[in-house]
Structure formats: structure tokens, C-alpha cells
Amino acid sequence: MEERSMNPNITVLGTGRMGSALARAFLQQKYTTTVWNRTSGRLAPLVALGARSAPSVLSAVAGSDIVVVNVNDYATGDTLLQQEGVAQALREKLLVQFTSGSPKQARDTAAWAAKHGIRYLDGAIMATPDLIGGPQSTILYAGDSGAFDQYKSALLTLGTNGVHVGADPGLASALDSALLMVMWGALFGTLQGVAVCQAEKLDLSAYANYLAPFLQAMNGWSLDVVKRIDEGRLSGDAETVATVDTHYGAFRCLMELCKDRNIHRGLPEAMEPIFRAAVQAGRGQDDFATLSRYLK
Ligand code: NAP
């Protein structure tokens, strides 16, 4: 039993970009790895690395201690897991769902797994396939903490930053969304910035040079906002670096520029009412963190 915990057999269901990276990381660490994919042509490179390919989901899960699922969405994952005989074959094994899903989907799958005596972890991969297995691969796990501890060394094969975030199976996915929102905020902001540069005939390589140190400063501002909201310090104080009025003034300049240059205003127009609500409520001299009141 202990030997199987240290050296579990692993199955990867779904070998797209991410699933293949997961399988490669297991194979690199010499885990016996079985792979299944809807399109069997995608299995050949993994078989060349030593993976066993299985002709069906049921045969893929049969001899493994850990079954990892990584397909396009939860509905597909559910369809695979609900194929005849699969739930029975998974009994007492660890199922790790790495497919992106909502907290509710993770909780529903955890309830389904519990009903069938399957141990369950929901995993949120905060990395791209090229980072899997390396020090920059952060993976958040939620659910059965005993299973996480038992198979920790195998799971950390996928990235040394693997961490169990709580027994509630929805928590990894909730954190995933909360972190990805920051990514999309920054990436969409970058697109808007590029549109401004192009309209004003600014050199994009120069923009990239100015952007790099600005993004570093942004890290501090973002973390400060979270800390202030956590501590309830929403009013302006000696540590406030810019009030809502100051932010809103500069923001209206951006709106004006976009209007003058006929640049798409969908993104700033979505933010503007939040500023306006705070100012109308007399919160103009508050810290930026005060805007959190208007997102509830
Ligand atoms: P991908 O390369 O498009 O792979 C999708 C996988 O889903 C393939 O194995 C595909 O099989 C399978 N699939 C799709 N529809 C199916 C169906 N009806 N029945 C059975 N299998 C089906 O996508 P990916 O980048 O690997 O992403 C997979 C998951 O990882 C997603 O939930 C994604 O959000 C998550 N993720 C990805 C990244 C990333 O950077 N790529 C990062 C974090 C999380 P076929 O080969 O047969 O089409």
C-alpha cells in the first residue's frame, strides 16, 4: 500500500495541449502512465515516451491509482466519467479533475464521486503547458486532503508549487477565477493601451519598454488594494497613493482620447459607472479600494 502511494500508476484522460504536458511530466519521473484521448492520433508522441495507450476510458482507468482528467470542459469530463462501468472502476481511487470549471461544477462532481466511493480533488492549473513540471507551475488543489497528502509526491511532479487550498472542492476553481480575472484585466488593458498607441502613432516597442517597469509598480498597487479591503481601510489616508477623484480625472482623459480617436470604448465604459457611483456617493477622496463597495 505504501509502495503504491509512493509509486502510483497514473492515467491521463484527455491529451490535448495541457493533458499531454501532464502526461509528459509523469513519464519524465518514470510513473507508469496510461493515456486515453478521443482522437487517438494525439497519443503517439506520448507512447514514444513510454506511455501505455488505452482504447477506451474504462480500460484506461482500470489499473491506475490516480486518474487525471483534462478535457475541454466539465460537461465532456462528466460524459467520460459516466460511461458504463467507469464509476465502479474508479472506486477507492483518486480522481483529479484538472479541466477548468466553476466552483459549483467542482462541488457537483465531488458529490458524484463521494456517492461512488471515489476520492476526489479538483485542480486548477495556474500555468501554461510549457511550464508544467517546472518551478513556475502553480497548481491549486481542493477537496480530499488525505488523498492530496497520500499522493503529494506524484502530484508535485506537475509543479513544485502544488498546494492544497481547502477541503471544499470548489475553492481551487474559485481562486482560479479570482486570479484569472486579474490576468484578463491586465491583458485587455494592454489591448486598449496598444489601440491608443496605434491611434497616436506611438512605437509599440517603446510602449513595451515603458510597460515593463509600470507593470512591476502595478503589482504593489494591486496587493495594496487587496490588503486595504481585507482590513476595511477604504477611506483615503496617509498611505493612499491616489484618491478616487485623482484616478477618475485621469480615467476621463482616456475616455476623451478614445472618443477623439474613435477607439473602441467598451472596456472603459464598463468601468466608468463604478467610478461615477463612488463619486456620487461622496467617496471621491477615498482610496481606490473603496470602489470594491460598488462591485457587490
Ligand atoms: P486542447 O488542446 O484544445 O485539448 C482539449 C482536449 O479535450 C483534447 O484532449 C480533446 O480531445 C478533448 N475533447 C474535446 N472535446 C471532447 C469530447 N467531446 N470528448 C472527448 N474529449 C474531448 O485544450 P487544452 O489547452 O489542453 O485545455 C484543456 C483544459 O485545460 C481546459 O479546461 C483548459 O481551460 C485547461 N487549462 C489549459 C491551460 C493552457 O494553457 N492550455 C491552462 C490552464 C488550464 P481531441 O484531441 O480528440 O480533440
Side-chain angles (χ1 to χ4, degrees), residues 14-19 36-39 42 70-72 76 80 98-100 125 127-129:
T15 58
R17 286 170 192 81
M18 183 54 84
W36 174 89
N37 194 57
R38 176 183 62 171
T39 308
R42 266 180 141 164
N70 190 255
V71 286
N72 59 320
T76 298
L80 301 180
F98 280 124
T99 305
S100 300
I125 303 175
T128 47

Side-chain angles (χ1 to χ4, degrees), residues 9 16 108-109 113 133 150 153 222 238 253 273:
N9 290 347
D108 287 350
T109 304
Q150 185 178 346
S153 52
S222 273
C253 298

Side-chain angles (χ1 to χ4, degrees), residues 14-31:
T15 58
R17 286 170 192 81
M18 183 54 84
S20 290
L22 302 176
R24 275 195 303 273
F26 289 131
L27 288 164
Q28 220 159 29
Q29 292 305 314
K30 309 280 180 236
Y31 286 102

